[in-house]
């Protein structure tokens, strides 16, 4: 609806931002493949779906394009990939070195901190977030220690239509 009323200048600005966002996303994905040595280590069943299990080991001398890529070098982990559609269903990562923010002045996340991100297949159609777990310790502003344990669960996805395309969300609105 907003796009119908935008000026040519607004449209050009929006398209430029979209292109920059897409470039950043592509660079981050490229960094992931450059940083991690990916090895298939087996098969498992996760929530009734057959999965390929892979280890992700960082290559310390990998060249990266993004800050996220530099952080990737400090993590190792495992990924569960659905055999039928090659979607990542679960990702477990652990920090193998301290991660500094703002040269360590703003913060430092300690080695051993870890996260798990899980997705679930909704209505047999699309993989959507199911749960995110973070457990971390570190320091902020040089001296203040912190410990973080958080679990975020996603559920109650409902199918709804927007301009004839199918979209999923956790909104409680009924189909139009």
């Amino acid at each position: 609806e907003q796009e119908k009323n935008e000026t040519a200048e607004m449209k050009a600005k929006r398209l430029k931002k979209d292109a920059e966002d897409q470039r950043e996303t592509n660079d981050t994905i490229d960094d992931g493949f450059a940083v991690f040595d990916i090895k298939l280590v087996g098969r498992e069943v996760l929530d009734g779906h057959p999965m390929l299990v892979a280890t992700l080991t960082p290559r310390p001398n990998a060249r990266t394009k993004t800050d996220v890529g530099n952080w990737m070098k400090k993590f190792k982990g495992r990924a569960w990939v659905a055999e039928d559609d090659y979607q990542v269903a679960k990702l477990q990562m652990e920090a193998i070195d301290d991660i500094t923010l703002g040269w360590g002045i703003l913060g430092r996340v300690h080695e051993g901190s870890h996260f798990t991100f899980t997705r679930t297949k909704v209505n047999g159609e699309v993989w959507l977030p199911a749960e995110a777990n973070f457990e971390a310790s570190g320091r902020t502003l040089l001296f203040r220690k912190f410990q973080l344990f958080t679990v975020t669960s996603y559920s109650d996805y409902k199918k709804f239509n927007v301009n004839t395309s199918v979209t999923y969300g956790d909104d409680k609105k009924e189909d139009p």
Side-chain angles (χ1 to χ4, degrees):
E1 198 59 35
Q2 287 177 337
E3 291 176 16
K4 289 180 185 178
N5 298 323
E6 70 185 0
T7 66
E9 182 180 321
M10 291 167 62
K11 182 177 181 176
K13 186 176 180 180
R14 177 179 53 81
L15 292 175
K16 181 180 177 186
K17 183 178 181 332
D18 289 350
E20 289 172 4
D21 290 347
Q22 187 62 50
R23 182 188 48 78
E24 179 75 17
T25 298
N26 290 342
D27 286 349
T28 302
I29 291 168
D30 290 346
D31 282 352
F33 284 107
V35 168
F36 292 113
D37 179 21
I38 303 169
K39 290 193 169 106
L40 294 176
V41 294
R43 287 186 156 91
E44 291 180 16
V45 175
L46 184 67
D47 292 333
H49 299 282
M51 300 283 162
L52 299 170
V53 182
T55 58
L56 298 110
T57 307
R59 296 179 181 106
N61 297 325
R63 292 179 166 240
T64 59
K65 301 175 189 175
T66 65
D67 289 338
V68 173
N70 286 327
W71 292 341
M72 287 180 198
K73 293 181 196 181
K74 301 194 180 215
F75 283 92
K76 68 175 183 177
R78 293 173 77 88
W80 286 256
V81 180
E83 286 190 36
D84 62 346
D85 57 7
Y86 305 108
Q87 293 290 311
V88 176
K90 183 175 179 180
L91 181 65
Q92 286 182 333
M93 301 300 285
E94 179 181 344
I96 58 174
D97 195 4
D98 286 357
I99 299 155
T100 59
L101 305 167
W103 298 288
I105 296 169
L106 292 178
R108 177 180 303 272
V109 177
H110 291 151
E111 174 184 344
S113 297
H114 58 275
F115 71 88
T116 302
F117 184 72
T118 309
R119 299 191 317 160
T120 188
K121 198 164 194 179
V122 177
N123 294 335
E125 295 179 24
V126 62
W127 289 92
L128 295 172
E131 190 170 272
N133 296 303
F134 295 93
E135 189 168 346
S137 64
R139 294 185 180 272
T140 59
L141 301 174
L142 293 178
F143 302 108
R144 187 178 176 122
K145 291 182 181 180
F146 72 85
Q147 289 228 297
L148 171 72
F149 179 75
T150 181
V151 176
T152 304
S153 295
Y154 305 86
S155 63
D156 200 26
Y157 287 108
K158 304 243 186 297
K159 196 174 193 178
F160 63 92
N161 295 318
V162 177
N163 298 330
T164 69
S165 65
V166 176
T167 309
Y168 283 87
D170 56 2
D171 200 353
K172 301 231 185 280
K173 295 178 184 173
E174 296 297 319
D175 287 344

